[in-house]
Amino acid sequence: MYEPIRTKSVHTMVDPEIPHRSREQELDIRLAGQLTALLTVTDELHALARRMESGGPQGAGVDGAGVDGAEPAGDGLHGCALDGTALAAAAERIAEQVARLSGGHYPLRAEPTDGGAPSRIEALQQRAHTLAGNALAVATTRGDEAARELAAERMAAHAAPLRDLATA
């Protein structure tokens, strides 16, 4: 009386042979993405620090003090001085963590064209602080001690200048 169903049910798996990622693999991918975004902002801050150290626009003299980010310098650049050496070291550590999470593949890094305007320091510090917080949350969920320590360190480094700017 009824014709038999010739098509597959919509409730069956489309192709059970398609590999699916585990929760750990998804967290690895997410953590690598957060750290790569943090690396990009760190590279921007580093390019800006190099530009300021070389006496770029607005004649910013940097004394090299501070922890990876900024410290009140009183030079008219929103009260921030960037430590280019510390930012370069931090960028390398972040790149190593991304490579570890990505199966040994280092992230592609684009050289910022001009480092941006010195007035962007505060916004870049805020963005880096937010990205480090996101990476810290994912690293904690994943149980990755090395990435958690790095993210917490970067979060603290980018929080100090923000506190200094808030009290200035």
Side-chain angles (χ1 to χ4, degrees):
M1 184 183 275
Y2 293 102
E3 186 175 334
I5 299 173
R6 293 182 210 163
T7 60
K8 292 185 176 183
S9 170
V10 295
H11 301 289
T12 59
M13 296 287 287
V14 175
D15 188 2
E17 296 172 9
I18 295 176
H20 294 281
R21 292 188 287 250
S22 68
R23 182 173 188 270
E24 290 177 7
Q25 290 171 324
E26 290 291 338
L27 287 172
D28 283 350
I29 292 167
R30 187 169 170 202
L31 181 56
Q34 292 293 333
L35 289 174
T36 301
L38 178 59
L39 177 61
T40 301
V41 174
T42 303
D43 283 341
E44 285 185 50
L45 284 167
H46 180 249
L48 184 55
R50 280 189 312 188
R51 185 170 144 215
M52 290 168 53
E53 288 170 353
S54 68
Q58 298 189 12
V62 177
D63 60 2
V67 179
D68 267 13
E71 184 172 85
D75 59 2
L77 289 174
H78 293 68
C80 288
L82 298 173
D83 184 355
T85 305
L87 286 166
E92 287 307 313
R93 288 183 57 214
I94 294 168
E96 288 170 5
Q97 287 297 318
V98 172
R100 181 180 61 85
L101 292 165
S102 303
H105 300 287
Y106 276 80
L108 296 176
R109 295 169 70 178
E111 182 70 28
T113 55
D114 65 355
S119 61
R120 291 189 57 217
I121 293 173
E122 184 177 353
L124 288 171
Q125 292 284 10
Q126 179 64 48
R127 181 72 179 142
H129 182 264
T130 301
L131 289 167
N134 292 345
L136 178 61
V138 177
T140 301
T141 300
R142 186 179 174 277
D144 187 333
E145 187 66 29
R148 189 171 62 105
E149 287 178 15
L150 177 62
E153 175 188 308
R154 300 309 314 144
M155 195 170 171
H158 294 293
L162 296 174
R163 281 192 303 270
D164 292 341
L165 289 171
T167 58

